[in-house]
Amino acid sequence: MNGVSAIINSKLTAISGYLVVAILLFTPTVSAAPTRLNANDIIQALGQHYGPQAALRAKAWFNIINENSELTDKQKLESTNNFFNLFRFIDDSQLWGDSNYWASPMEFIGVGGGDCEDFSIAKYFTLLQLGISEEKLRITMVKATSVDQYHMVLAYYEKPNAIPLVLDNLDKQIKPATDRPDLLPAYSFNGTQLWLNKEKGKGELAGSSSRLEKWTDLKHRLGVKRLRQPKLNME
């Protein structure tokens, strides 16, 4: 086991298996364009699997994607953040019968709720569909001192050395990271890379994000072919 792996594993163990990610300085990556989605197939599949309200949510989601593609990045952030922050927050154990399940965006839209990971992941993939570069986005989890627990958010970097904007379901207003002293960082990742935080605002590249088991599992469940049925029906 190398030094970076030992640090990652020890910190992940220290927070009882939760992935902790950080708001860190940007490092360039190379990413592929997102797969274009078939709206009719997805709307129909979510309706059949989760019910008519799920189909309506899927239609509203595609409206966000289709109507906002020509907006500025900040307008895309606002519309996406506002849309998903209307969803219900519910703990994984109640919804899925699993203490730490990362729902796919389709599952999150289908059931109409989830926990902080699900909010952040859905926002991330939606912004990719809206044409925002993956290099500007990092899925992040921080220690939220306001609730004294680990919490996932999404960070957007307008430029490589910019202070990131934070998209959050706790504080629903998009704010610069410097205006969120309640968030204490530890790790960050996007679709290709993983960073380890040693001190606030500084990150060390720790390899591919494929090292994160839950992220790899999630990517295998994208789309509508592997939709999970929730333990709790919220409709």
Side-chain angles (χ1 to χ4, degrees), residues 124 128 134 137 139 189-193 208-210 215 219:
Y124 171 83
L128 292 181
E134 180 181 74
L137 300 171
I139 299 173
F189 71 100
N190 61 20
T192 56
Q193 292 188 336
S208 169
S209 58
S210 64
W215 179 242
K219 290 195 292 184

Side-chain angles (χ1 to χ4, degrees), residues 22-36:
I23 300 170
L24 304 173
L25 294 178
F26 168 85
T27 299
T29 62
V30 177
S31 58
T35 302
R36 188 169 182 83

